[in-house]
Amino acid sequence: MKRMKAKIAYDGSGFAGYQIQPEARTVQQELMAVLQNIHKGEVIQVIASGRTDAKVHATGQVIHFDTPLSIPVSGWLKALNVLLPEDIRVLEIAEAEPGFHARYHTIGKTYRYKWDRSPIISPFTRHQMVHTKQRPDVGKMREAAAAFIGTHDFSSFCAANTGVVDKVRTIRRLDFEEHGEELHMVIEGSGFLYNMVRIIAGTLMEVGLGRREAAELREIIRSADRGAAGKTAAAHGLYLEHVEYEN
Amino acid sequence: MKRMKAKIAYDGSGFAGYQIQPEARTVQQELMAVLQNIHKGEVIQVIASGRTDAKVHATGQVIHFDTPLSIPVSGWLKALNVLLPEDIRVLEIAEAEPGFHARYHTIGKTYRYKWDRSPIISPFTRHQMVHTKQRPDVGKMREAAAAFIGTHDFSSFCAANTGVVDKVRTIRRLDFEEHGEELHMVIEGSGFLYNMVRIIAGTLMEVGLGRREAAELREIIRSADRGAAGKTAAAHGLYLEHVEYEN
């Protein structure tokens, strides 16, 4: 038995999210269907670094699966990309180190959130960026972002009805990048609570649009109250970009 | 009665082409439905610079329509973009010069054809660029492109079963642009025959991939034989970028 580790990308537009569920198209279901096909009917479990919600994209999701087959790496890459639908691509695949686990061994993740600041939303990227009609003050967003860096209880930035008890996480980087009319928030941390990146993005955009002060952020974090933070930004602006593992 | 002229963009992925037809979603049908709504049930004819085929995109299609309404230009822009589906956007709108006709008064058009040269096709642009696995020799494509410049009978580069008699057209510009892994062909001319840009793109790509010699192109044009040219490149790489009018 070999454990294979793969880096995959997907356009979240056509999926009800990563995780398999009845009567919905999911990334996991498509991956498992193709692996079952390759394994002549045998069900092959696929483990990802974590779930992504409906409409959320990935450019660097990591998965693993176990296989009895001896196929060279280039063969795996080719077979999977031929059999998978075009909105999922396998970017890299390799035999994993012994004991590797895509979910349990993550030590960090990087997400990217994309806004389109064009006066008129582009019809070509409408499922891949969130349009902001009013032009945000990026300087203020950067100023407010500083409050997140470090280790904090992120209860204010977590969907209210989650079962997770320990809400302490570490944010190592939170940058804003401007690429023409695109505005990207890049956030790297030890791990993220449910909806955490989207609530951070939504709250920082409210600062950018002058609806909140940058100075409020530290108090919002301290309050440990979801009601104190801003709205959850839309799913289709979010990309899981990188998953980090110990090596 | 006022004649309004508008520049529009659309993602061709969700359309059976520009021109209205029964039981298919078309750009013209969406535009006319919205204008009928604005005009309280009155049918408003929409005239475009020309049709585009199913899956073909536009970043600068031009249309006109006549209206009895007195709405300021900013009101038109807002109303149309609120009512139209997000895969069609009105980029600019203005009152047209007297006698302006979006179709009859064109004196030139610019099209762009996009290929994606990434080793693995991006799941995000799969409907907006054509993937080429093998890396083309762009220098050879540029060399071959020179044969098209000027005024020629383009019978070799026209879908065989067209009703058009005069197949003489003038190509003023044919450039290749490289943007990272994207390869664009930009072609500007007096007008184009049915499928002409896609047959030129397909033939030049065959040169790029070493399946034809650049030197063959002059003879292919001279032969006035559709069978002598290459394959019609896929529709989803093509963009109508600009329509030129006398001013």
Side-chain angles (χ1 to χ4, degrees):
Chain A
M1 206 64 131
K2 279 179 184 166
R3 177 155 292 188
M4 304 301 292
K5 171 186 178 182
K7 182 169 122 181
I8 66 172
Y10 45 85
D11 174 354
S13 319
F15 295 104
Y18 173 80
Q19 196 175 50
I20 211 159
Q21 53 178 289
E23 288 170 55
R25 184 170 183 254
T26 63
V27 177
Q28 190 184 12
Q29 164 233 320
E30 294 284 359
L31 290 167
M32 288 181 61
V34 164
L35 285 171
Q36 187 168 1
N37 180 346
I38 293 174
H39 292 82
K40 310 206 177 295
E42 192 187 341
V43 173
I44 304 293
Q45 196 57 48
V46 174
I47 311 288
S49 71
R51 313 172 190 180
T52 51
D53 277 347
K55 311 293 176 204
V56 172
H57 313 289
T59 53
Q61 171 69 289
V62 175
I63 58 163
H64 84 246
F65 60 90
D66 294 329
T67 176
L69 302 177
S70 284
I71 302 177
V73 158
S74 63
W76 274 115
L77 192 68
K78 203 165 184 174
L80 289 168
N81 281 329
V82 165
L83 295 169
L84 281 166
E86 279 200 342
D87 48 358
I88 306 176
R89 293 291 88 186
V90 177
L91 305 178
E92 296 168 13
I93 186 164
E95 198 173 332
E97 314 81 86
F100 171 81
H101 195 285
R103 182 166 169 207
Y104 297 143
H105 295 176
T106 63
I107 56 166
K109 281 186 184 172
T110 305
Y111 284 92
R112 185 175 291 262
Y113 196 92
K114 296 187 186 179
W115 289 280
D116 176 6
R117 301 176 294 180
S118 311
I120 294 170
I121 187 176
S122 163
F124 300 103
T125 53
R126 66 195 191 282
H127 300 305
Q128 287 150 21
M129 288 194 262
V130 172
H131 189 232
T132 169
K133 276 177 202 166
Q134 205 190 320
R135 225 172 158 80
D137 181 331
V138 181
K140 283 193 181 160
M141 296 172 83
R142 287 198 172 102
E143 192 189 326
F148 290 103
I149 303 298
T151 302
H152 305 279
D153 179 321
F154 281 100
S155 297
S156 303
F157 294 87
C158 176
N161 52 349
T162 174
V164 178
V165 176
D166 177 12
K167 292 180 178 167
V168 174
R169 296 290 183 278
T170 300
I171 302 294
R172 294 192 278 257
R173 184 163 74 103
L174 206 177
D175 293 334
F176 285 90
E177 295 177 5
E178 301 185 76
H179 304 280
E181 295 289 32
E182 294 184 25
L183 174 64
H184 297 185
M185 178 185 90
V186 185
I187 187 165
E188 185 197 322
S190 60
F192 293 91
L193 299 162
Y194 188 54
N195 276 356
M196 181 168 155
V197 179
R198 288 167 57 191
I199 302 170
I200 292 175
T203 306
L204 289 177
M205 181 48 76
E206 290 177 15
V207 171
L209 298 178
R211 296 178 198 153
R212 288 174 184 271
E213 294 299 320
E216 287 175 42
L217 267 290
R218 289 183 200 281
E219 186 44 40
I220 294 172
I221 296 172
R222 222 176 344 243
S223 72
D225 170 14
R226 172 66 188 90
K231 285 192 188 150
T232 306
H236 66 281
L238 185 63
Y239 293 73
L240 172 56
E241 183 165 282
H242 181 68
V243 185
E244 213 178 321
Y245 295 95
E246 285 169 47
N247 60 339
Chain B
M1 207 64 136
K2 279 178 183 166
R3 177 155 291 187
M4 304 301 293
K5 171 185 178 182
K7 184 168 121 181
I8 66 171
Y10 44 85
D11 174 354
S13 318
F15 295 104
Y18 172 81
Q19 195 174 49
I20 211 159
Q21 52 179 289
E23 288 171 55
R25 183 170 185 255
T26 62
V27 177
Q28 189 184 10
Q29 165 233 316
E30 295 284 2
L31 290 167
M32 286 181 63
V34 164
L35 285 171
Q36 187 169 2
N37 180 345
I38 293 175
H39 291 80
K40 312 211 178 291
E42 192 188 340
V43 174
I44 304 293
Q45 196 58 48
V46 175
I47 312 288
S49 71
R51 313 172 191 181
T52 52
D53 277 348
K55 311 294 175 201
V56 173
H57 312 290
T59 53
Q61 171 70 289
V62 175
I63 58 162
H64 84 247
F65 60 90
D66 294 328
T67 177
L69 302 177
S70 283
I71 301 177
V73 158
S74 62
W76 273 115
L77 192 68
K78 203 165 185 177
L80 289 168
N81 281 329
V82 165
L83 295 169
L84 281 166
E86 279 200 342
D87 49 356
I88 307 177
R89 293 290 89 184
V90 177
L91 305 178
E92 296 169 10
I93 186 163
E95 199 173 331
E97 313 84 85
F100 172 81
H101 195 286
R103 183 166 168 210
Y104 297 142
H105 296 175
T106 64
I107 56 167
K109 281 186 183 171
T110 305
Y111 284 91
R112 185 174 293 262
Y113 196 92
K114 295 188 185 178
W115 289 278
D116 176 7
R117 301 176 294 180
S118 311
I120 293 170
I121 188 176
S122 163
F124 301 102
T125 53
R126 67 196 191 282
H127 299 306
Q128 287 151 21
M129 288 195 263
V130 172
H131 190 231
T132 169
K133 276 178 204 167
Q134 205 191 318
R135 222 171 161 80
D137 181 331
V138 180
K140 282 192 180 161
M141 295 172 85
R142 287 198 172 102
E143 192 189 327
F148 290 103
I149 303 297
T151 303
H152 306 279
D153 178 321
F154 282 100
S155 296
S156 301
F157 294 88
C158 176
N161 52 349
T162 174
V164 179
V165 177
D166 177 12
K167 292 179 178 167
V168 175
R169 296 290 183 277
T170 300
I171 303 293
R172 293 192 279 256
R173 184 163 73 103
L174 206 177
D175 293 335
F176 285 90
E177 295 177 4
E178 301 185 74
H179 304 281
E181 295 290 31
E182 295 184 23
L183 174 63
H184 297 186
M185 177 185 91
V186 185
I187 187 166
E188 184 197 323
S190 61
F192 293 90
L193 299 162
Y194 188 54
N195 276 355
M196 182 167 153
V197 179
R198 289 167 55 192
I199 302 170
I200 291 174
T203 305
L204 289 177
M205 181 49 76
E206 290 177 16
V207 172
L209 298 177
R211 295 177 198 154
R212 287 175 185 271
E213 293 299 321
E216 284 174 44
L217 266 289
R218 290 182 199 279
E219 185 45 38
I220 294 172
I221 296 172
R222 222 172 349 239
S223 73
D225 170 15
R226 171 66 188 91
K231 285 191 187 151
T232 306
H236 66 281
L238 186 60
Y239 294 72
L240 173 56
E241 184 165 281
H242 181 68
V243 184
E244 212 179 324
Y245 295 95
E246 285 171 46
N247 60 339

